[in-house]
Amino acid sequence: MGINRSLKSIATIALMLFAGVAIAQDVVKEPYTANEILTNAMFWTLSGITLILFFIIVILAGAVKNMSDFWKLSKNGFKTIALIAVTVLSADAMAQDAAAATQQITYGGLTSTVFFLFLVVIFVELFIIASLFFILKRLINLNKTEELVEVVHQVSFLDKFNASVAVEDERDILLDHNYDGIKELDNSLPPWWKYGFYFTIVWGIAYLIYFHLGSGPSSEKEYNDEVALAQLQIEEFMKKSANAVDENNVTLASDAGSLDAGKTIYMDNCAACHGRLGEGGVGPNLTDDYWLHGGSINNIFKTIKYGVPEKGMKAWQAELSPSQIRQVASFIKSLYGTNPPNAKEKQGELYKEESSAANETTTEKEAITIDSTAVVTAK
Amino acid sequence: MEIEKFSYDNKIVKMFAYATIIFGLVGMTVGLLVALQLVFPALNFGFEMTSFGRVRPLHTNAVIFAFVGNGIFMGVYYSLQRLCKARMFSDLLSRIHFWGWQLIILSAAITLPLGITTGKEYAELEWPIDIAIALIWVVFGINMFGTILKRRERHLYVAIWFYIATFVTVAVLHIVNSFELPVSFLKSYSIYAGVQDALVQWWYGHNAVAFFLTTPYLGLMYYFMPKAANRPVYSYRLSIIHFWALIFIYIWAGPHHLLYTALPDWAQSLGVVFSVMLIAPSWGGMINGLLTLRGAWDKVREDVVLKFMVVAVTAYGMATFEGPMLSLKNVNAIAHFTDWIIGHVHIGGLGWNGFLTFGILYWLIPRIFKTELYSKKLANWHFWIGTLGIVLYAVPMYWAGFTQSFMWKEFTPEGMIKYPNFLETVTNLIPLYALRATGGTLYLIGAIMMTYNLIKTIQAGNFVANEEAEAPALAAHEEPHKGEHWHRWIERRPVQMLVLSLVLILIGGIVEMVPTFLIKSNIPTISSVKPYTPLELEGRDIYIREGCYTCHSQMVRPFRSETARYGEYSKAGEYVYDHPFQWGSKRTGPDLHRVGGKYPDSWHFNHFLDPTSMSPGSIMPTYPWLFEKTLNTSLTAKKISAMRSLGVPYPEGYEEQAEADLKKQAEQIVDNLKKDKIEIMSDREVIALIAYMQRLGVDIKAQTASK
């Protein structure tokens, strides 16, 4: 009969699935000890989802089995199995590619390989579910048009799914309750609901064990790890980049591109306090000969980078990159002597251009390398 | 058995129904105003009483306590009488309840725009109103229990279980969260501080959702949905399990509002796992509702009442699945403080509460007026416009939430935050805010159409103030049936049901709160954290008055993206003198916990006068009145002594010196401003607010400096 055929097809689907999982386990074996895997919350979450979906597939397959007759299923079944097979294979290949590219990134403690393989399995399961729905729908339609007599005795899919008594038979489970005309049925708990509830409870207990008795990270540790990882990545980047400029080695930029970029930064961030023309306002005038914290490119760079918090100049190093600070400092130098209207009175000490670079910058060569990381990692 | 004749009180139902409609329109209109203020800041009008920080609490209080509150009472007064086969216990108590509740709403509508607020979200009303709420709630409870006790129906239907749990839990939540020390008739301080205040507040806030917006509405669903569909409830067993599981588990979930904050990790984890366990009990209600419609789906196509109810229950299912997902720490890291949460609550508010209320109104009004609905077509239009409104509201909010969160978190390869200017992450969202306001407008138009439709219905009908009914008297004693379900036992015993509900809902709160209050290691002290100066304290009260917490958080979370933007992440010990806490729940503007010392006094001065002068494109309201009003220092001494009674270590007798210190500090700020060519009198409110701004989050720096 049809049942045999459909059972076979289900078995094939299940086999394909397990094959997928087996491949997954092969790939991951080395980075984990069994113990680590067992205490990983993400692993359990994903396994849980995988199992739930598998459970749904079994139920759906059962429904299909009940509703189908021999020829119809075998046609549809073949199509589905072929599709699934192709998907599983190609998805596995994709996952392995993805894994190779991003080895270090972890998702909730799992390497991307394991994580993506889980996603693939879940995706495949969802696909199977969708296919089974499609088959069911067609079967229901077929039954309606061709086998009207039989349909009456078929249990509807939803009733099956929820383990409820069919509407036609509900008199059997009608309780003798009557509240202002409202009656109550005594349907049993939908199994997916009940087992879903159990699952969340088990999940909850596992979560608490993992994070509070096991090796789960605290919020503080998560933060420290995140910062440490970022530091490494930044150092890697800075080694290759020309951005390692600081107050000791900064030079005045004079090309139009840099000055334009500097002007944009100035208008966005500085103009509110120092005036759109550098005439000063809340902050001091930037166009005259007098400087509170030194007027050399190095000193201006330093003032912008670290700020003078006690006087209200904030530190910009978290918001502007070193090369941006150089651009805006160079732009500010270019404002010298523009004599804008409404200029603020002079503040600070007279600064002479010539006396600058040579005297003021202490040329501590060794400080340069240390500072280049300080620029970007300061909080 | 003798048949008794009696009548149902429909008049009280009608009164609550009218109040529901009126306050629904008012609350939604105010909501639309705040939505538009985010698009056009000019709509703050530069007036105190219309600025966002004061109007937003007005919106939330109006829709929760006035619209949904009256909706609950309308539905309960209608269904309870019929489920108990008895008139309400006392018509007088019903009237006191009605008018008392409306007076509370009126006092909220007056005090909130005046800036009289406790600064705790959804519990903003000041202590005299809190007392009034407690009293009126007890009146409601007595009236409800009186009715239940004189019922002519042996067993309590599931709707009544939910009403009982609602009554007892809301009472506990409201009282515990409202413990505050009065300073004057209209000013008080929460007796809890910082982390503890946050825990109590969100235990309350979350369960206001649970026991004010959810359980009573589930009760209403259990009455009105089977009635409207004329179908038996799907599963009695499911009702039992999901009811008890829901009320037990819900109460634990509050800490999910405080993930990745200074709340101890163990409390956060409890919030996570109980939220996840909440999926099934919540969905139990949805399943039981939707499956009750089995065999009646053809009716759903015809009957607009059922359409509203189906969308309501579906929205409930969506929101109660989304909630647990948002409670997972990694999802919360993205969603918290963003518009995603605004979208989430409006799926619940507009979809579940709004649509169920509309469905009930369309069903109930024609019945008590003995007529047909004036226009089914118009009601259908309402349904479609409302549904479209919800979609247009929610989708832009989800979009905005994702966009903003990812902009906050993005770094350049050099390790700089990519959008250091917070404002950039806000101006990006303005088109989405405009779209959201469109969705809200559609929803409001739908509600106006309903109002018109119902007025026409009422005009055509004949109101039955006292609906005649009859039922056999309840036998003094009845033997239980053989083989009946075990749960029938408690359904005959309302008092035991009340007590059991109370015990169940107390467990979660006690387990979470008692250790947080008693075990010192949960809030490690930081020696450099000192009490606020008198001027800063006054400034803080202005911060609370202006509702700054509606847009600004004071909680730097332990993420690299936040410490890079704001500075060191926030520690529990920094908040020990914060009565009440001001962590906030939404960042329309940046976090302010480390704003102290970041900008000069003059920056704040200019920024409060016109935010766009310092931050072009800012959507923050202007605060001109802070520059005109003189700081009221008549309560300063009292505030100091109130704080001391709450455990803030001001020296004995500091009250005497407080005002002098306050003036001295104000003069310093005025001097600072003078250096930047700004002249202002030292007695203006803005000076105090600047003092508070400059104090925020700096104490911990003193500690790191001394190390």
Side-chain angles (χ1 to χ4, degrees):
Chain A
M1 260 299 290
I3 294 165
N4 274 340
R5 270 296 172 99
S6 46
L7 273 182
K8 256 191 213 165
S9 61
I10 291 158
T12 322
I13 294 169
L15 262 178
M16 300 298 298
L17 264 177
F18 283 121
V21 177
I23 297 168
Q25 282 169 349
D26 270 341
V27 181
V28 267
K29 238 164 207 161
E30 334 108 51
Y32 291 107
T33 66
N35 196 27
E36 272 171 336
I37 277 252
L38 288 178
T39 53
N40 185 294
M42 182 66 92
F43 177 79
W44 285 108
T45 317
L46 292 172
S47 315
I49 296 172
T50 316
L51 279 176
I52 290 172
L53 291 176
F54 187 70
F55 183 65
I56 295 173
I57 291 174
V58 173
I59 296 174
L60 276 174
V64 173
K65 185 181 76 181
N66 275 347
M67 295 203 59
S68 59
D69 91 308
F70 176 71
W71 293 108
K72 280 162 205 149
L73 181 81
S74 59
K75 261 190 247 160
N76 283 314
F78 270 123
K79 267 190 220 161
T80 322
I81 290 165
L83 264 171
I84 290 165
V86 172
T87 323
V88 171
L89 291 175
S90 58
D92 276 346
M94 265 162 48
Q96 281 168 23
D97 282 351
T102 51
Q103 253 340 326
Q104 295 115 335
I105 298 167
T106 63
Y107 297 85
L110 295 179
T111 60
S112 52
T113 323
V114 185
F115 183 78
F116 280 117
L117 274 168
F118 263 116
L119 285 194
V120 166
V121 173
I122 288 167
F123 171 78
V124 169
E125 285 181 331
L126 287 175
F127 181 76
I128 296 172
I129 289 171
S131 318
L132 284 170
F133 262 115
F134 179 66
I135 297 168
L136 261 178
K137 211 178 141 197
R138 283 199 52 180
L139 284 175
I140 290 165
N141 288 338
L142 280 173
N143 278 339
K144 265 188 198 154
T145 49
E146 294 168 18
E147 296 157 57
L148 273 174
V149 192
E150 233 185 312
V151 169
V152 179
H153 299 291
Q154 295 289 356
V155 183
S156 92
F157 158 68
L158 260 177
D159 285 347
K160 180 108 188 152
F161 188 60
N162 291 317
S164 44
V165 174
V167 176
E168 300 81 43
D169 304 326
E170 74 186 16
R171 225 164 289 133
D172 302 345
I173 53 159
L174 194 64
L175 296 165
D176 61 349
H177 307 174
N178 185 340
Y179 303 97
D180 194 30
I182 300 173
K183 300 202 154 113
E184 292 183 291
L185 297 172
D186 195 24
N187 271 305
S188 51
L189 305 176
W192 63 270
W193 181 86
K194 186 167 68 179
Y195 293 111
F197 192 17
Y198 292 161
F199 173 75
T200 58
I201 294 170
V202 172
W203 181 89
I205 294 166
Y207 184 97
L208 291 179
I209 292 174
Y210 173 61
F211 279 100
H212 296 281
L213 299 172
S215 58
S218 65
S219 298
E220 194 181 349
K221 183 171 184 309
E222 276 182 51
Y223 173 72
N224 293 336
D225 290 351
E226 186 193 11
V227 171
L229 180 70
Q231 199 124 333
L232 279 176
Q233 286 169 347
I234 294 162
E235 273 166 29
E236 283 297 310
F237 178 82
M238 293 308 272
K239 272 183 203 155
K240 295 181 222 151
S241 132
N243 213 344
V245 52
D246 68 13
E247 60 271 24
N248 296 307
N249 61 14
V250 64
T251 54
L252 191 69
S254 51
D255 59 298
S258 294
L259 290 179
D260 273 356
K263 184 173 182 182
T264 311
I265 296 166
Y266 180 88
M267 288 305 170
D268 287 349
N269 299 296
C270 320
C273 290
H274 293 283
R276 299 184 66 78
L277 302 170
E279 72 273 22
V282 169
N285 183 344
L286 300 174
T287 62
D288 59 9
D289 284 316
Y290 291 85
W291 293 87
L292 287 160
H293 306 290
S296 70
I297 183 72
N298 310 69
N299 281 328
I300 295 175
F301 186 98
K302 193 173 162 190
T303 309
I304 296 171
K305 182 173 159 189
Y306 300 111
V308 191
E310 63 278 13
K311 291 187 186 167
M313 172 73 184
K314 68 176 259 188
W316 289 92
Q317 55 180 339
E319 300 177 25
L320 298 175
S321 72
S323 61
Q324 284 177 313
I325 297 180
R326 173 172 179 259
Q327 286 163 349
V328 72
S330 302
F331 171 73
I332 288 167
K333 291 287 284 181
S334 78
L335 294 174
Y336 170 70
T338 49
N339 284 324
N342 302 320
K344 204 176 177 184
E345 83 284 5
K346 60 191 180 190
Q347 287 170 292
E349 287 160 22
L350 186 66
Y351 166 77
K352 284 271 186 302
E353 193 67 45
E354 301 79 46
S355 67
S356 67
N359 297 337
E360 280 190 51
T361 44
T362 47
T363 49
E364 291 168 67
K365 289 287 181 208
E366 68 274 23
I368 294 173
T369 45
I370 298 163
D371 259 42
S372 65
T373 55
V375 170
V376 288
T377 57
K379 291 166 203 156
Chain B
M1 192 70 62
E2 191 197 342
I3 300 286
E4 292 182 335
K5 287 193 183 298
F6 55 95
S7 66
Y8 296 130
D9 182 3
N10 278 352
K11 184 137 186 256
I12 190 70
V13 178
K14 182 181 83 172
M15 288 157 78
F16 275 119
Y18 288 2
T20 307
I21 297 168
I22 293 167
F23 287 121
L25 293 177
V26 173
M28 289 172 208
T29 309
V30 177
L32 185 58
L33 174 66
V34 287
L36 287 169
Q37 284 176 339
L38 292 177
V39 187
F40 310 106
L43 290 175
N44 287 286
F45 303 115
F47 295 128
E48 289 175 66
M49 291 196 265
T50 49
S51 75
F52 184 92
R54 298 194 189 186
V55 179
R56 191 263 192 178
L58 190 66
H59 163 62
T60 51
N61 278 279
V63 292
I64 298 172
F65 300 111
F67 171 57
V68 175
N70 279 311
I72 293 169
F73 302 137
M74 163 186 76
V76 169
Y77 276 89
Y78 186 88
S79 60
L80 184 71
Q81 299 186 72
R82 282 152 181 88
L83 290 169
C84 290
K85 290 268 169 281
R87 192 182 174 87
M88 286 310 295
F89 171 64
S90 155
D91 283 7
L92 178 67
L93 287 183
S94 301
R95 300 301 179 277
I96 293 175
H97 176 198
F98 177 81
W99 289 111
W101 195 256
Q102 310 316 316
L103 273 177
I104 288 165
I105 293 168
L106 184 68
S107 55
I110 294 170
T111 55
L112 291 174
L114 286 173
I116 298 165
T117 167
T118 62
K120 291 174 73 158
E121 271 182 280
Y122 319 120
E124 281 100 345
L125 302 177
E126 264 299 351
W127 67 272
I129 310 176
D130 279 343
I131 293 174
I133 294 172
L135 290 177
I136 294 299
W137 194 255
V138 170
V139 167
F140 166 55
I142 295 172
N143 207 11
M144 177 166 80
F145 252 79
T147 313
I148 291 173
L149 292 176
K150 65 167 202 175
R151 68 193 186 280
R152 294 184 181 82
E153 181 73 61
R154 175 71 60 189
H155 295 94
L156 301 178
Y157 176 58
V158 51
I160 301 178
W161 315 345
F162 277 106
Y163 300 158
I164 292 174
T166 300
F167 165 70
V168 66
T169 316
V170 170
V172 171
L173 293 167
H174 173 67
I175 292 169
V176 174
N177 189 45
S178 300
F179 279 131
E180 48 217 356
L181 186 66
V183 178
S184 72
F185 181 60
L186 291 170
K187 175 74 195 166
S188 66
Y189 291 120
S190 170
I191 67 158
Y192 317 103
V195 172
Q196 292 156 351
D197 197 34
L199 180 64
V200 174
Q201 158 65 23
W202 283 112
W203 165 80
Y204 163 88
H206 178 71
N207 289 299
V209 175
F211 288 89
F212 206 85
L213 300 177
T214 305
T215 54
Y217 264 59
L218 281 169
L220 299 187
M221 179 200 81
Y222 271 113
Y223 180 82
F224 289 98
M225 199 138 151
K227 276 294 219 185
N230 195 22
R231 290 278 307 148
V233 172
Y234 172 72
S235 170
Y236 168 62
R237 269 181 271 173
L238 186 57
S239 301
I240 296 169
I241 299 202
H242 105 87
F243 167 74
W244 291 107
L246 190 80
I247 66 166
F248 173 69
I249 295 177
Y250 232 130
I251 207 85
W252 293 75
H256 70 210
H257 292 255
L258 301 169
L259 298 180
Y260 286 119
T261 67
L263 186 74
D265 271 3
W266 62 265
Q268 296 186 29
S269 293
L270 285 179
V272 172
V273 299
F274 277 90
S275 302
V276 171
M277 283 189 242
L278 201 49
I279 300 176
S282 303
W283 272 28
M286 174 185 70
I287 297 167
N288 229 357
L290 288 181
L291 292 182
T292 293
L293 298 175
R294 275 187 332 153
W297 284 99
D298 50 326
K299 275 192 212 159
V300 177
R301 239 167 281 150
E302 305 290 318
D303 185 356
V304 71
V305 170
L306 287 177
K307 274 191 218 173
F308 273 109
M309 289 180 175
V310 165
V311 170
V313 175
T314 312
Y316 172 66
M318 280 160 59
T320 53
F321 180 72
E322 188 187 12
M325 294 302 110
L326 287 168
S327 306
L328 296 171
K329 284 182 94 173
N330 46 359
V331 181
N332 192 276
I334 299 167
H336 193 48
F337 290 137
T338 74
D339 287 304
W340 184 347
I341 307 301
I342 317 296
H344 169 63
V345 298
H346 280 85
I347 292 281
L350 302 174
W352 164 240
N353 295 113
F355 266 36
L356 196 65
T357 311
F358 299 151
I360 293 171
L361 281 168
Y362 280 124
W363 186 85
L364 187 150
I365 295 286
R367 268 172 185 73
I368 60 175
F369 281 89
K370 292 279 173 265
T371 181
E372 292 285 306
L373 186 63
Y374 167 69
S375 165
K376 286 205 168 100
K377 203 171 165 189
L378 197 58
N380 256 313
W381 272 95
H382 174 199
F383 172 78
W384 288 111
I385 285 187
T387 308
L388 185 64
I390 297 175
V391 174
L392 270 184
Y393 189 106
V395 172
M397 288 294 94
Y398 290 116
W399 194 341
F402 276 107
T403 308
Q404 192 173 31
S405 191
F406 288 123
M407 285 178 86
W408 289 344
K409 287 174 184 295
E410 197 168 344
F411 280 88
T412 64
E414 295 102 319
M416 324 287 300
I417 37 181
K418 186 157 178 198
Y419 303 97
N421 187 357
F422 186 93
L423 191 57
E424 209 175 334
T425 73
V426 179
T427 46
N428 240 305
L429 308 180
I430 289 175
L432 296 168
Y433 286 165
L435 205 56
R436 176 259 301 265
T438 316
T441 309
L442 288 179
Y443 194 85
L444 178 61
I445 289 172
I448 294 170
M449 286 161 67
M450 175 191 75
T451 310
Y452 173 76
N453 204 351
L454 291 179
I455 289 174
K456 282 291 187 187
T457 310
I458 289 164
Q459 283 171 349
N462 287 311
F463 180 59
V464 186
N466 296 296
E467 190 178 321
E468 298 304 323
E470 53 180 40
L474 207 56
H477 186 71
E478 196 181 41
E479 285 302 311
H481 288 298
K482 276 231 158 90
E484 68 174 10
H485 195 282
W486 56 267
H487 195 261
R488 297 297 271 171
W489 182 88
I490 202 164
E491 289 167 29
R492 291 190 287 270
R493 291 170 179 78
V495 179
Q496 282 87 333
M497 183 167 269
L498 176 90
V499 173
L500 183 58
S501 306
L502 179 65
V503 170
L504 282 182
I505 62 113
L506 286 178
I507 294 172
I510 290 171
V511 171
E512 285 173 354
M513 279 183 228
V514 171
T516 313
F517 281 72
L518 296 184
I519 301 175
K520 207 152 171 17
S521 67
N522 280 317
I523 301 163
T525 38
I526 301 171
S527 57
S528 61
V529 173
K530 298 280 186 282
Y532 294 106
T533 68
L535 187 65
E536 289 156 7
L537 191 63
E538 290 292 354
R540 190 166 202 274
D541 284 341
I542 294 171
Y543 185 94
I544 292 168
R545 182 186 79 193
E546 299 305 338
C548 304
Y549 66 88
T550 57
C551 291
H552 294 279
S553 57
Q554 289 188 16
M555 173 49 64
V556 181
R557 296 182 293 173
F559 301 135
R560 175 179 165 232
S561 57
E562 299 211 355
T563 54
R565 185 184 297 276
Y566 303 117
E568 186 63 30
Y569 66 84
S570 305
K571 311 289 190 298
E574 293 185 80
Y575 299 103
V576 288
Y577 305 129
D578 284 11
H579 297 270
F581 83 118
Q582 290 286 287
W583 294 0
S585 61
K586 173 70 174 54
R587 282 184 189 150
T588 305
D591 188 275
L592 297 179
H593 191 221
R594 299 276 176 231
V595 82
K598 193 169 177 184
Y599 303 103
D601 292 348
S602 51
W603 187 93
H604 286 294
F605 183 96
N606 291 330
H607 191 253
F608 285 128
L609 193 59
D610 176 12
T612 56
S613 68
M614 293 288 105
S615 311
S618 170
I619 57 172
M620 178 165 142
T622 59
Y623 289 88
W625 59 92
L626 297 179
F627 299 79
E628 290 152 18
K629 293 172 95 170
T630 51
L631 183 68
N632 178 0
T633 54
S634 63
L635 286 176
T636 309
K638 274 189 172 171
K639 286 177 177 176
I640 297 284
S641 66
M643 283 293 181
R644 190 187 307 107
S645 350
L646 294 174
V648 180
Y650 290 110
E652 280 302 326
Y654 184 65
E655 291 88 333
E656 317 297 318
Q657 204 195 321
E659 188 144 6
D661 278 6
L662 182 148
K663 292 216 164 97
K664 212 167 99 192
Q665 194 183 0
E667 288 302 335
Q668 278 170 3
I669 292 172
V670 169
D671 286 347
N672 270 342
L673 290 172
K674 233 174 239 160
K675 283 182 203 152
D676 292 323
K677 291 184 173 169
I678 293 170
E679 295 285 345
I680 185 158
M681 317 255 267
S682 64
D683 60 355
R684 296 303 145 106
E685 289 190 335
V686 71
I687 303 293
L689 191 52
I690 291 174
Y692 177 57
M693 288 291 113
Q694 299 292 29
R695 176 63 187 277
L696 274 172
V698 295
D699 285 7
I700 200 171
K701 289 179 193 160
Q703 186 204 30
T704 36
S706 67
K707 259 183 188 172

